[in-house]
Amino acid sequence: MKKLTAIILSFAMAVSMVACSSASKNEVVDVEVSNTKTADIVIVGAGAAGLAAAVEAVDNGAESVIILEKTATTGGSLNFTSGSMSGAETVVQKIDGVEDTKESFVQDILKNGANLGDEELIRTFVDEDVDAIQWLWDHGLSDNKFSTDRETGTMSVFAPEHALYSVKRTFKPSPDNKEKYKSAAHEILDAEVAKLSQVTIDFQTTAVQLLNNEDGQVLSVIAVDQNGDKVRYDAQKGVIMATGGYSGNQTLMGKFTENGANYLPGGSSAADGYGIYMMQNIGAYVDEEKMGYIPTFPMGLDTGNGPGKIASTYMWKTGGICVNQEGNRFVDETEDSVEVREVALEEQTNAIQYDIFTDNIINTAVEKNASVFWNFFYAPGKPFNNFVVEASSLEELAEKLGMPAENLVSTVEKYNECVETQTTDEFGRQFTEDSLNHEYNVAINKVEGDKYYAVPLKALCVMTLGGVKTNKDCQVLDANGTAIPGLYAAGEVVGGIWGRFVSSGTGVMGPIAFGRIAARTAMNTELAKDYTIQPAQTVITEDMFAKKEANTESRFDMSKALKDGEYNATVDGQEGPMEVKTTIKDGKISNVEIVSNHETESVAKAALEGVPSKIVSGNTCDVDTVSGATLTSNRIMDAVAICLEEASK
């Protein structure tokens, strides 16, 4: 991994020097490579946008498509989301009898994005989205099981984790293979790509540089494969950048938002924003202000073991409150405008809040059918119960949370007084029967009971909204608004589409819709000539991708003598424990077996299959991690180290 990082950074410096040249004639960079591959379309990134683009390219006549994927699996952010979709005038709504219009969808997206979105691109999305959902429906979505509205039973629902639409237009289908997939969209796209002999995916291949030719056409990508070798990919029709956002890069988020470095990443560490940087270096325009458009969820649980989880207790629906690290409330917890609550949390110390509630509040939530998250995540015996802090008094609870007891007690007393007198509090929260009229306010309770509870939650970032600028045809634009010939972009890598906040379902359907458009445009557009590559901006700089120095201390001293035998070790895993068996023969590691695990298969598969063999061949528990599956790789190595320690006794 150090070798790959060094190669990437050296490319970054070289590209920056070339791109800053103000010469009128295009300079063509000659890069020494080990191999060259050619295709009609080269796609960087095998997420929703990249997979959709590959299918659409073939449908539009492409005889060869190569997808470069830096991790060992497809899906990108679809591996970390339930995959909610949304659309207006769709086949799903027609079945449900839900009346909707595209215009209403456009206006809701604009409103939800604080009216900062690109209306032309939003309208383009809304139009394409209808066909994209129909395509998914025709290719298997119609057979998937949907979460339904608890009152009407429709597949079209409202999504309370986002600002609510004016019409039920969110769809929540489950994948058939829940062990392998998080979202139905990923499952369907994977199945369709697998049928296409024209599509090749080069996994564990990291794109590091875009190259232009003398005419200014950007048709080449330099990448580093899993062996550390440089490979050149040449496209005949176009390069589609579908590399995702930068929610996995806290350094970059911290550069563009005041508290971004404190946000809890909720997706892959592979979402580092490097694709945006590559395009910036070839003259693409990046709006610095919009790089700060980073929405969060005010409900991120930091398990300390992988990406954060969307796991609110929702106990404030029945009387609970949220306090910051200082023990003070900071927002109306029942505010139905989600962005108000998310911005308020972002501004708190370390972007952390504590849901405070009692046994009485839990009982009310159960009675009111508002305890779904509690029942699923936090109740005794559930996966996150160990994150519930319990106490017999507020003072004891404050001590356990490391906050001033006097502040927490005062906060609760003031809150309880408002409840008792039915007085609207300083944040606008109301405590009358008339206020019990929306999704976020189900019952009124004081914060009192025999037991007090708290759950720490952070501002969780699962997607970012900044990036390069494109037109409605997904052509990447320079600072003058001119399309860069041959270069296209789709998905999170494009900035400014949605505005400051994101609407339900657009995080999945946006990349799919624009991926289709990008491929269609690339296959049917004649490449412009005599374009002049523009100087690179410096909105994003190479130091934003510098890796923290890894701990070079070995997990185990392999000079120690090892006793032959089989040794088992169990370590904490993604959704449960991982058990690993290590066999020592003739004093060396002869076999490593993953006995059981609870990792996300689509993300962890390459590590589960590849790391054990690396350990055996190298006779060491310290080997390179698999890109995109770093946590799983480290868990396997940690378990083997425990086994080796036992074998050395």
Side-chain angles (χ1 to χ4, degrees):
M1 292 302 293
K2 288 183 178 179
K3 178 182 178 182
L4 177 58
T5 299
I7 291 174
I8 291 174
L9 290 179
S10 66
F11 268 118
M13 289 186 287
V15 173
S16 295
M17 292 174 63
V18 171
C20 286
S21 171
S22 59
S24 59
K25 185 177 181 180
N26 294 313
E27 182 173 357
V28 178
V29 179
D30 184 23
V31 178
E32 185 177 345
V33 297
S34 300
N35 190 18
T36 298
K37 298 183 180 183
T38 303
D40 288 332
I41 298 290
V42 173
I43 301 170
V44 185
L51 295 174
V55 174
E56 187 69 13
V58 173
D59 285 348
N60 279 265
E63 297 180 358
S64 58
V65 177
I66 300 177
I67 305 177
L68 315 185
E69 172 53 47
K70 70 189 297 184
T71 71
T73 187
T74 63
S77 62
L78 292 180
N79 291 303
F80 302 92
T81 175
S82 60
S84 293
M85 306 173 184
S86 62
E89 301 182 22
T90 64
V91 59
V92 183
Q93 291 173 311
K94 290 176 182 177
I95 292 172
D96 288 338
V98 175
E99 294 186 6
D100 196 4
T101 66
K102 293 180 182 178
E103 184 60 30
S104 173
F105 194 14
V106 169
Q107 295 306 319
D108 278 357
I109 294 174
L110 286 169
K111 178 183 177 183
N112 293 346
N115 292 308
L116 294 171
D118 186 317
E119 185 171 344
E120 182 182 36
L121 293 184
I122 290 172
R123 290 187 180 279
T124 299
F125 159 70
V126 169
D127 284 338
E128 179 69 26
D129 187 41
V130 179
D131 291 337
I133 288 178
Q134 184 67 56
W135 183 89
L136 290 166
W137 185 264
D138 294 339
H139 288 79
L141 187 62
S142 58
D143 296 325
N144 288 92
K145 182 179 179 180
F146 283 66
S147 295
T148 56
D149 185 277
R150 63 184 180 185
E151 295 181 358
T152 64
T154 58
M155 295 178 286
S156 307
V157 301
F158 289 112
E161 65 269 22
H162 293 280
L164 300 181
Y165 286 127
S166 56
V167 177
K168 289 191 291 186
R169 62 168 70 98
T170 297
F171 322 120
K172 294 177 175 288
S174 299
D176 292 329
N177 185 347
K178 295 182 180 180
E179 294 296 320
K180 185 175 182 180
Y181 295 101
K182 293 284 188 181
S183 70
H186 184 193
E187 186 175 45
I188 293 169
L189 288 168
D190 250 8
E192 292 308 308
V193 169
K195 298 175 183 177
L196 302 176
S197 60
Q198 301 93 329
V199 179
T200 301
I201 304 178
D202 285 4
F203 289 106
Q204 293 180 265
T205 300
T206 303
V208 295
Q209 184 179 0
L210 292 168
L211 299 179
N212 60 271
N213 59 24
E214 291 182 352
D215 286 320
Q217 300 163 340
V218 179
L219 294 171
S220 299
V221 183
I222 301 297
V224 180
D225 67 16
Q226 59 185 322
N227 300 316
D229 294 328
K230 288 176 284 186
V231 181
R232 178 179 177 129
Y233 293 84
D234 290 331
Q236 300 297 319
K237 295 284 190 176
V239 172
I240 300 175
M241 296 292 288
T243 53
Y246 42 97
S247 61
N249 189 334
Q250 288 176 299
T251 300
L252 202 155
M253 288 194 292
K255 169 69 176 179
F256 298 107
T257 61
E258 183 177 355
N259 301 295
N262 292 321
Y263 296 166
L264 175 63
S268 172
S269 59
D272 61 2
Y274 200 80
I276 303 172
Y277 179 60
M278 288 170 59
M279 286 186 281
Q280 173 196 267
N281 286 340
I282 207 73
Y285 177 68
V286 179
D287 188 319
E288 184 167 0
E289 179 182 358
K290 291 176 181 177
M291 287 295 291
Y293 290 178
I294 305 175
T296 63
F297 287 94
M299 54 183 77
L301 179 67
D302 185 359
T303 66
N305 193 20
K309 307 291 184 182
I310 297 178
S312 173
T313 67
Y314 282 119
M315 282 300 159
W316 34 265
K317 288 186 176 185
T318 55
I321 61 174
C322 300
V323 302
N324 57 22
Q325 188 63 62
E326 291 72 37
N328 301 318
R329 289 178 64 221
F330 53 90
V331 73
D332 173 7
E333 297 86 350
T334 65
E335 168 61 58
D336 58 5
S337 180
V338 180
E339 60 266 21
V340 172
R341 290 186 280 119
E342 74 180 55
V343 171
L345 175 55
E346 291 168 5
E347 295 173 348
Q348 304 311 305
T349 302
N350 296 325
I352 190 171
Q353 72 181 31
Y354 297 87
D355 282 11
I356 306 292
F357 50 99
T358 68
D359 48 353
N360 291 338
I361 291 172
I362 295 174
N363 292 336
T364 301
V366 173
E367 293 170 5
K368 298 289 185 178
N369 196 28
S371 60
V372 175
F373 269 53
W374 172 262
N375 297 341
F376 190 77
F377 287 134
Y378 295 111
K382 297 304 179 180
F384 301 147
N385 177 255
N386 58 313
F387 293 98
V388 179
V389 181
E390 177 183 331
S392 298
S393 67
L394 286 171
E395 290 83 358
E396 180 187 0
L397 189 65
E399 181 179 0
K400 289 184 175 182
L401 300 177
M403 66 178 56
E406 62 273 17
N407 286 4
L408 182 60
V409 171
S410 175
T411 293
V412 171
E413 287 178 346
K414 184 185 296 186
Y415 173 82
N416 286 345
E417 182 179 350
C418 289
V419 174
E420 186 171 343
T421 61
Q422 296 188 350
T423 303
T424 300
D425 69 17
E426 60 185 301
F427 303 105
R429 184 167 178 174
Q430 299 179 7
F431 305 97
T432 64
E433 289 297 320
D434 291 340
S435 69
L436 302 179
N437 58 2
H438 63 74
E439 182 72 25
Y440 301 120
N441 200 3
V442 178
I444 299 168
N445 268 311
K446 290 183 179 180
V447 179
E448 60 183 16
D450 293 329
K451 290 291 184 181
Y452 293 85
Y453 301 96
V455 172
L457 297 170
K458 290 186 174 183
L460 178 71
C461 181
V462 299
M463 70 180 302
T464 51
L465 305 179
V468 299
K469 185 173 179 59
T470 67
N471 59 22
K472 62 184 179 64
D473 295 319
C474 295
Q475 295 172 299
V476 178
L477 306 179
D478 62 22
N480 299 319
T482 303
I484 302 173
L487 185 60
Y488 303 85
E492 269 187 72
V493 78
V494 180
I497 299 176
W498 315 113
R500 173 63 179 83
F501 307 99
V502 69
S503 297
S504 173
T506 56
V508 171
M509 292 311 303
I512 293 175
F514 285 115
R516 286 160 55 92
I517 293 172
R520 195 181 307 139
T521 306
M523 286 300 300
N524 295 286
T525 300
E526 184 176 348
L527 290 166
K529 298 181 179 180
D530 297 325
Y531 170 80
T532 301
I533 294 293
Q534 299 299 300
Q537 295 172 274
T538 56
V539 173
I540 304 175
T541 54
E542 63 185 83
D543 59 300
M544 297 178 190
F545 305 98
K547 303 293 183 182
K548 294 181 180 179
E549 282 297 320
N551 183 2
T552 56
E553 184 178 346
S554 176
R555 290 176 172 81
F556 179 79
D557 181 2
M558 292 303 297
S559 67
K560 292 182 179 180
L562 300 175
K563 292 181 292 185
D564 289 357
E566 294 182 347
Y567 303 88
N568 285 62
T570 300
V571 295
D572 290 337
Q574 175 105 18
E575 303 289 351
M578 173 190 290
E579 183 181 357
V580 176
K581 180 170 72 175
T582 303
T583 302
I584 305 299
K585 184 178 181 181
D586 298 330
K588 294 183 178 182
I589 304 172
S590 65
N591 188 54
V592 173
E593 177 187 351
I594 312 298
V595 178
S596 63
N597 76 90
H598 296 81
E599 308 296 283
T600 301
E601 181 183 347
S602 57
V603 177
K605 182 179 179 181
L608 294 171
E609 295 178 350
V611 172
S613 60
K614 289 181 181 180
I615 292 173
V616 173
S617 62
N619 192 41
T620 175
C621 60
D622 296 305
V623 298
D624 286 342
T625 60
V626 173
S627 178
T630 302
L631 295 171
T632 300
S633 302
N634 284 324
R635 290 170 190 137
I636 297 170
M637 290 184 269
D638 289 342
V640 172
I642 295 172
C643 293
L644 296 178
E645 194 63 48
E646 185 65 26
S648 70
K649 293 180 179 178

